[in-house]
Amino acid sequence: MTHSGAYVYDPDRPAGSLHLRAARVLEGNWTGTSTVPSHGLYPHQWSWDSAFIAIGLRHLSPLRAQTELETLLGAQWGDGRIPHIVFNPSVPLDAYFPSPDFWRSSTAGRAAGAPRTVQTSGIVQPPVHALAAWLVHQADPGLSRSRSFLSRMYPRLAAWHRYLLHRRDLGGGGLASVVHPWEQGMDNSPCWDAPLSRVTPAAPRSFRRADLDHGSAEDRPTDLDYGRYVRLATDYRDGGYAEGAGEFAVEDPAFNALLIASEHALAAIAQELGAAGTARHARAERLTAALVERLWDPAEGMFFCRDVYGGDGRGGETYGGDARDEGESGALGSERRSPESGAHGSERGSRSGALAPEQHSAESGALGSERRSRQSGAHVSEQRSRAGALIPERSVAGLLPLILPALPRDIAATLVRTAGGPHFGLGGVARLAPSYDLTGHAFDPHRYWRGPAWFNTNWLLERGLRLHGEHGRAEELRAALLETADTSGFAEYVDPYTGEACGALGFSWTAALTLDLLHEPARADQADRPDRADRADQSTHVVSHPGHRAFDKAQGTPPHTSHASHTPHSSFETGAKGGDRG
């Protein structure tokens, strides 16, 4: 405790070390029950941000990491969706657009089971949550078990996956579709240009672009694209957040890869709670097969997005090019048509012991509505299913299936070559993998998701490289990530060539994933190479630090808390970024 009465986390690291500075970023962005991405630009809780933040927080405070996820899932909707923003009621409405009064979740989302006491958005973000929950549990299993962390999280995570696998299978091939560019997380990617071209933009005077208050117009979405974002969100809201009625539906390889990775994690959680988990592993493998069938292009050596409503309706074609006969069913078509049978039903029917709470919650309360309405209008996908068309834009999303353990070996090897080739330059001309093709027509090293490198996507690539035995390349990427985080001030994103900081500084997931890389260089191969010294922090050969218990006690982090009690930061700075994150 300092003389002023403030608590300071001291992990016995050198003053000014990368580890300590990353910890201070997360402490500065903590609100009391969750962590904002950035106080000035993103003053609420974001879904996949919180998952990545929890992964890093587990090294400082497993309790706080658990609280991060508990707060987010406390705002889950009755149909299972986890909203992409959970709004802090202490933040003024004009601090961010689209604000709670735009989404109107408690009224427009009533039929979908939106919570009444917490305001949220109505769209989702990539499903990293089960993976995050499992890693958080592993950081301190004793604490996790004493708080029944996994047994409380499991039914909510299972409902989240059911929502994506059943209600979002708009293409009929087993993969989840995003219905808005903001849902995929890579908001302004050129991958969305073609499907967005069908959308009539909202009138310019019907909204105010607050994002331009914080950045140059050259680095932001165009007015035309922004108008289309607003139109899609408005129509989705006005339709009661029902699925399948909009003009935008895209199967994205990164979104689905994260769903599959989280399905494997959910299997591990089920095993921890006393079930076999085999049905979930089997489902993850079938989803991997569907991903390859629907989105893999062997000629280009990477995965592409599929515009579900694109093409001429017959399916199987790429925009302007090669035909691929995919058919209507896909690897998981039978599972979509009979969600209560086969692998989907076997685990549900055989759960006992520690998993009993999920059975109860699935039959009653808010989460039970998913089962009762499975044959309702939410399944518009049954009438509109089509194979669509692949979108020939090379995004980093097309490399991220590398995180999947059941990915065929030849495909994994091809992805590694593509990552190091001229389009992404990893390990060569690019310091970090760019978000979009270096040679692409729309590449811009500073424009949101049209070229800059992001820490979360590169962290996922590092895990994928290591998973598939590319330890040398993984270690090079890890070192580049740590060096870039250090020199950029934990920037939101960076120029892929130079590492120049862009966007917000002191960004939470950058700090959190830096901590994860500092704590876990020993993924499989590090024990064989004890002589490797980290360039950014000489004390990184640690798996976890005992100081996190002291951090919990010093900070007075509460046990499981309600989402309604947000406490804003004392030096709260209002601001708005707007369209990039919805």
Side-chain angles (χ1 to χ4, degrees):
M1 183 180 290
T2 67
H3 68 277
S4 64
Y7 288 107
V8 177
Y9 171 57
D10 182 4
D12 299 325
R13 303 292 174 97
S17 71
L18 185 60
H19 184 286
L20 188 56
R21 284 185 286 121
R24 285 172 175 161
V25 168
L26 295 180
E27 174 59 19
N29 289 340
W30 175 250
T31 69
T33 54
S34 64
T35 309
V36 298
S38 165
H39 272 293
L41 298 178
Y42 305 117
H44 301 286
Q45 183 178 25
W46 263 260
S47 173
W48 76 327
D49 289 73
S50 277
F52 288 120
I53 289 165
I55 289 169
L57 271 178
R58 68 188 171 122
H59 300 295
L60 302 179
S61 167
L63 178 58
R64 183 172 288 188
Q66 291 176 30
T67 302
E68 183 82 35
L69 295 174
E70 290 164 352
T71 300
L72 178 68
L73 268 67
Q76 186 174 24
W77 289 29
D79 62 4
R81 82 182 74 193
I82 297 174
H84 98 296
I85 302 175
V86 181
F87 290 106
N88 184 336
S90 299
V91 177
L93 285 179
D94 61 358
Y96 188 83
F97 179 83
S99 55
D101 57 346
F102 172 88
W103 295 104
R104 305 171 196 166
S105 61
S106 59
T107 55
R110 184 177 298 136
R116 296 181 180 180
T117 58
V118 181
Q119 294 298 311
T120 75
S121 67
I123 60 176
V124 302
Q125 275 190 323
V128 201
H129 310 90
L131 175 61
W134 178 242
L135 293 175
V136 167
H137 164 79
Q138 288 181 305
D140 193 334
L143 175 68
S144 175
R145 291 167 187 148
S146 71
R147 300 185 68 248
S148 301
F149 172 65
L150 290 182
S151 62
R152 287 186 288 108
M153 292 294 100
Y154 184 89
R156 292 186 174 276
L157 293 168
W160 169 222
H161 286 208
R162 283 197 300 273
Y163 167 79
L164 293 173
L165 290 170
H166 297 306
R167 300 193 175 207
R168 287 299 189 91
D169 181 11
L170 302 181
L175 299 182
S177 293
V178 296
V179 299
H180 196 291
W182 292 336
E183 291 198 313
Q184 193 266 0
M186 304 177 194
D187 311 9
N188 193 34
S189 170
C191 295
W192 318 134
D193 291 352
L196 277 176
S197 67
R198 296 189 298 269
V199 178
T200 302
R205 294 185 178 181
S206 65
F207 61 91
R208 175 183 174 272
R209 289 199 59 178
D211 62 313
L212 297 181
D213 295 341
H214 298 275
S216 168
E218 289 76 18
D219 293 339
R220 320 303 296 177
T222 65
D223 288 342
L224 180 62
D225 283 340
Y226 204 95
R228 286 168 169 154
Y229 299 157
V230 173
R231 169 68 67 189
L232 278 175
T234 301
D235 290 349
Y236 193 39
R237 177 199 69 199
D238 293 348
Y241 297 108
E243 315 303 344
E247 292 303 311
F248 185 98
V250 174
E251 294 171 356
D252 174 77
F255 191 99
N256 281 280
L258 289 168
L259 174 59
I260 297 166
S262 281
E263 189 69 15
H264 280 298
L266 208 54
I269 294 172
Q271 289 177 297
E272 165 67 21
L273 296 177
T278 52
R280 291 199 176 277
H281 280 307
R283 182 184 304 147
E285 292 181 1
R286 287 195 300 277
L287 284 165
T288 302
L291 186 75
V292 172
E293 179 188 355
R294 298 276 294 173
L295 305 184
W296 174 248
D297 188 325
E300 298 295 338
M302 66 181 299
F303 291 86
F304 287 95
C305 294
R306 180 174 290 278
D307 180 0
V308 172
Y309 303 147
D312 63 5
R314 292 192 306 269
E317 67 271 19
T318 300
Y319 276 104
D322 303 334
R324 299 181 68 205
D325 184 12
E326 301 285 357
E328 284 289 324
S329 61
L332 290 189
S334 60
E335 189 166 29
R336 174 181 56 78
R337 288 189 294 271
S338 54
E340 295 298 331
S341 63
H344 274 268
S346 60
E347 190 171 351
R348 184 179 291 122
S350 62
R351 272 188 207 110
S352 60
L355 290 185
E358 189 208 2
Q359 270 189 316
H360 175 73
S361 64
E363 296 294 340
S364 62
L367 294 182
S369 63
E370 191 276 338
R371 175 174 297 174
R372 292 191 296 271
S373 64
R374 190 165 290 156
Q375 303 303 323
S376 71
H379 279 256
V380 180
S381 61
E382 295 286 350
Q383 293 108 42
R384 292 193 63 174
S385 64
R386 60 177 75 171
L390 291 182
I391 302 170
E393 297 285 3
R394 297 179 181 88
S395 160
V396 70
L399 303 177
L400 294 188
L402 201 60
I403 65 175
L404 301 178
L407 195 68
R409 185 175 300 179
D410 60 328
I411 291 180
T414 301
L415 283 177
V416 172
R417 289 194 297 272
T418 300
H423 299 293
F424 294 94
L426 190 61
V429 296
R431 178 177 296 196
L432 299 176
S435 52
Y436 176 68
D437 183 359
L438 295 171
T439 70
H441 67 97
F443 174 79
D444 186 322
H446 291 170
R447 194 175 179 200
Y448 240 71
W449 292 110
R450 290 180 175 251
W454 292 72
F455 286 85
N456 63 331
T457 55
N458 278 270
W459 177 86
L460 289 166
L461 279 176
E462 192 269 351
R463 289 181 69 91
L465 289 168
R466 208 173 290 276
L467 174 67
H468 291 283
E470 297 288 340
H471 302 305
R473 288 185 173 89
E475 189 60 26
E476 289 176 5
L477 180 53
R478 173 181 171 272
L481 277 163
L482 291 173
E483 181 180 4
T484 306
D486 189 8
T487 58
S488 71
F490 305 103
E492 182 180 1
Y493 58 100
V494 298
D495 184 306
Y497 291 118
T498 67
E500 176 190 349
C502 302
L505 301 182
F507 201 69
S508 288
W509 79 24
T510 303
L513 298 178
T514 295
L515 283 169
D516 191 62
L517 292 169
L518 287 173
H519 277 279
E520 296 202 34
R523 293 186 189 132
D525 66 316
Q526 201 66 27
D528 297 329
R529 298 193 286 172
D531 58 326
R532 182 179 294 278
D534 182 74
R535 291 190 291 170
D537 190 328
Q538 294 298 317
S539 57
T540 63
H541 295 280
V542 181
V543 173
S544 62
H545 197 282
H548 63 221
R549 287 293 194 184
F551 184 85
D552 289 333
K553 293 177 181 178
Q555 298 300 327
T557 305
H560 182 48
T561 52
S562 167
H563 190 279
S565 57
H566 281 289
T567 304
H569 194 267
S570 58
S571 57
F572 203 86
E573 177 186 353
T574 60
K577 194 138 190 171
D580 301 316
R581 289 174 161 243

